[in-house]
Amino acid sequence: MKLVLITAIAEFEKDVKKMLKEAKVKSYSYRDVKGFRDASEEGVETNWFGTEMNEIESIVFYAFVSKENVSILFDLMKEFNDKQESISHVHLAVFSVEQYN
């Protein structure tokens, strides 16, 4: 069993839910969050947000997922991110779970 944490901009909420379903993740939790990015060291022309300090409506998902389904989820998210023309992507982190009840 693995714990997955997924972050994305709010506009990708339906896409993430679809990927979770395709990966056979039957239950998960999610919350709206404020994403933040400090782009003060980037030029304004390369900054997707157009300012130095940025907050954006984001979403975070977390779920316990079997090892087999984590691989499916990674593949789905990679495929999704590869198709994106925007700078923003879906991010997935996986944590090992030693015990759960």
Side-chain angles (χ1 to χ4, degrees):
M1 185 66 61
K2 302 286 185 179
L3 173 63
V4 298
L5 178 72
I6 302 165
T7 61
I9 58 173
E11 288 82 359
F12 292 160
E13 178 179 344
K14 288 181 182 178
D15 300 299
V16 173
K17 288 178 178 178
K18 181 180 176 200
M19 288 182 267
L20 287 165
K21 184 175 182 175
E22 289 178 24
K24 298 184 177 27
V25 178
K26 299 196 186 288
S27 55
Y28 54 86
S29 300
Y30 68 98
R31 292 190 55 87
D32 294 329
V33 295
K34 291 278 187 192
F36 176 80
R37 181 169 180 244
D38 179 0
S40 59
E41 295 183 16
E42 295 179 16
V44 174
E45 67 278 355
T46 62
N47 182 348
W48 184 64
F49 295 104
T51 63
E52 291 181 359
M53 300 296 188
N54 310 289
E55 285 188 2
I56 189 161
E57 298 299 321
S58 300
I59 194 159
V60 62
F61 291 81
Y62 39 98
F64 291 101
V65 180
S66 68
K67 286 181 184 180
E68 303 80 32
N69 293 8
V70 168
S71 296
I72 296 168
L73 194 55
F74 259 111
D75 292 343
L76 290 167
M77 292 199 177
K78 180 177 179 351
E79 182 180 331
F80 177 83
N81 285 335
D82 287 346
K83 291 179 184 176
Q84 292 310 306
E85 294 182 14
S86 69
I87 293 173
S88 188
H89 287 100
V90 175
H91 301 279
L92 171 64
V94 179
F95 304 90
S96 294
V97 177
E98 293 181 30
Q99 293 180 327
Y100 67 96
N101 187 359

